[in-house]
Amino acid sequence: MSSNQTLRLLMPQWQGGNHHAYPLGARLLEWLAPKGNSPTVEVPVKPCKAPSPLRENGIVEQNALLAQLQECEKIIKHHKPKKIVVFGGDCMVEQTPISYLNQLYDGNLGVLWMDAHPDVTTPKEFHHEHAMVLGNLLGEGDPVFAAKVPVKLNPNKVMFGGLQKTTEQEIEIIQRLGMRHASPADLAHDSSAILGWIKEEKITKLFIHIDLDVLDASLFRSLLFADPTKDPSAFYHFPQGEMNLSQLARVVQDTTLVTNIVGLGITEHMPWDAIHLQNMLKDFPLLSD
Amino acid sequence: MSSNQTLRLLMPQWQGGNHHAYPLGARLLEWLAPKGNSPTVEVPVKPCKAPSPLRENGIVEQNALLAQLQECEKIIKHHKPKKIVVFGGDCMVEQTPISYLNQLYDGNLGVLWMDAHPDVTTPKEFHHEHAMVLGNLLGEGDPVFAAKVPVKLNPNKVMFGGLQKTTEQEIEIIQRLGMRHASPADLAHDSSAILGWIKEEKITKLFIHIDLDVLDASLFRSLLFADPTKDPSAFYHFPQGEMNLSQLARVVQDTTLVTNIVGLGITEHMPWDAIHLQNMLKDFPLLSD
């Protein structure tokens, strides 16, 4: 057991979104972040050779995702942190950290979900587990993964920021559970929508989830929707983020002034140029000398 | 003195192009490259706080560039390598490595200049030293820096690849010195233009210069011309690269089959998303714990 309060997890998980871009995205995030003094532990992840055709209970690589979730749990239980940072990887990397912190803080954890998507689908609608992670934590989502959450999130203590158009199924859950949301327009000039929620719900411990796809893909291009090898029209039917980096940074910083941040997840980083450079450099002369 | 044959230099120089994006670009290149077994030495560079207004003999930060060039020379002379890799930084990082290798190989070094620009301007036309580096090595360019090159390149042994529209002044030098060039169209399907030159000039030691701006900025966006905070029209009057990554990789690999590669420089990497992420993460909660 470490005496450190904060644990950093590097989790280069790709199976939740079934894309080879996640592992380098995770490592690059960790490399770019300030070093700090907390221990960093890498959660072992099966390597990605190609998109996986494997479906288990309708979910791509469900067994590998379960094994990695258990590995993550083991690491967290060993370190017993009070706070967790997780660098993903696909959004599913956050299930265990959030579940652990909510149990640690007696079911009172607040979760700010900065994301273009609500991540509350189920295996009926979709086959990528990363789109179900918040559902799982609320006791909805994928029953196999929801069963791994001992203390469910209180939906009053979950708020969406930067959310885009949702599907009927997503709307049903959001309305039934009464979860609040702030659109990119609501957050364009100030963070009052989110600060008001923190005050109203008396949130004293907050986890901030950032799916980088909450950002506008023309300003920040290391996103699925900005893959330079694909025709942009391939993504027109997906809701895409509209926030800029200053707005996202300001929202995060404003929350630190009114509550205690006990968790931070940064996910869905797909650094195309770095991936392409790394592949090119692998076969360059002199670099293996 | 090291017993290694190959020396890797990390040179986060920014003054040659006067832009804050170069230092992280250099470090990220080095991070992405295969690790190999050669020593890596960082050439100390004055930090970049903002674009410098300082002109000395018409050149931005000429004295700092001179000091850094001398530092680079000292490191190379200490290690006495047979081969050099240099991660820039602006293109000027290559002056000392190329000059050293040309002297080592008795003036017979071949130089393949993969770049949208020929880098043979002079202080009469421009104030950024990185646009003069090849000129300096040929005994043209900026007289202050040309004077630092003991053995000038043989212009028959220099060839441009991926070159775009050149200015009258550049055309005059290229024609007067009789240097060969292959356009992006010439290199689109095979590398024969370059392989023919290597054979004709009996080049047995080759330095490959890569200015990443030889690439199409819509496919590889970590370039000056793809700055997401600028209107693309700001760059319409600059000649921009047209090659794709596979073409560039193939050209480099084809040369390795017909000659000995003794030097490799990779320059002008401006990883916008990484820069913006790093700035945002600096002030994020938990990351300094």
Side-chain angles (χ1 to χ4, degrees), chain B residues 85-142:
Chain B
V85 174
V86 57
F87 300 107
D90 68 71
C91 285
M92 261 303 281
V93 303
E94 289 178 359
Q95 173 156 339
T96 314
I98 292 178
S99 172
Y100 165 85
L101 289 168
N102 194 38
Q103 189 169 28
L104 181 69
Y105 296 117
D106 305 318
N108 290 313
L109 186 71
V111 175
L112 174 59
W113 203 258
M114 299 300 299
D115 200 318
H117 313 100
D119 296 349
V120 294
T121 59
T122 80
K124 277 182 207 145
E125 294 86 34
F126 202 37
H127 52 279
H128 287 170
E129 191 70 32
H130 71 159
M132 304 171 201
V133 56
L134 183 59
N136 300 340
L137 288 158
L138 288 158
E140 308 269 336
D142 176 354

Side-chain angles (χ1 to χ4, degrees), chain B residues 38-188:
Chain B
S38 306
T40 302
V41 180
E42 181 170 336
V43 183
V45 166
K46 217 175 74 167
C48 181
K49 285 168 192 160
S52 171
L54 189 64
R55 309 253 174 128
E56 293 147 335
N57 297 316
I59 295 295
V60 172
E61 292 278 348
Q62 194 183 50
N63 288 333
L65 286 164
L66 272 171
Q68 288 161 200
L69 180 142
Q70 276 152 12
E71 199 61 42
C72 183
E73 209 167 73
K74 221 169 79 184
I75 291 166
I76 293 175
K77 287 193 168 156
H78 173 75
H79 284 263
K80 298 185 177 61
K82 298 272 186 289
K83 302 175 184 179
I84 299 177
V85 174
V86 57
F87 300 107
D90 68 71
C91 285
M92 261 303 281
V93 303
E94 289 178 359
Q95 173 156 339
T96 314
I98 292 178
S99 172
Y100 165 85
L101 289 168
N102 194 38
Q103 189 169 28
L104 181 69
Y105 296 117
D106 305 318
N108 290 313
L109 186 71
V111 175
L112 174 59
W113 203 258
M114 299 300 299
D115 200 318
H117 313 100
D119 296 349
V120 294
T121 59
T122 80
K124 277 182 207 145
E125 294 86 34
F126 202 37
H127 52 279
H128 287 170
E129 191 70 32
H130 71 159
M132 304 171 201
V133 56
L134 183 59
N136 300 340
L137 288 158
L138 288 158
E140 308 269 336
D142 176 354
V144 174
F145 280 89
K148 301 288 173 190
V149 180
V151 182
K152 303 301 190 268
L153 289 175
N154 173 349
N156 295 333
K157 293 192 189 284
V158 178
M159 181 163 180
F160 297 103
L163 196 61
Q164 296 294 317
K165 196 169 179 290
T166 41
T167 66
E168 276 183 36
Q169 176 266 334
E170 292 162 345
I171 292 168
E172 187 279 321
I173 293 192
I174 293 171
Q175 291 190 342
R176 173 162 49 83
L177 300 183
M179 283 185 284
R180 268 160 280 200
H181 51 92
S183 70
D186 294 333
L187 299 173

Side-chain angles (χ1 to χ4, degrees), chain A residues 247-263:
Chain A
Q247 291 165 337
L248 177 59
R250 185 246 302 143
V251 166
V252 169
Q253 274 156 49
D254 283 352
T255 64
T256 67
L257 304 175
V258 299
T259 189
N260 301 304
I261 312 302
V262 297

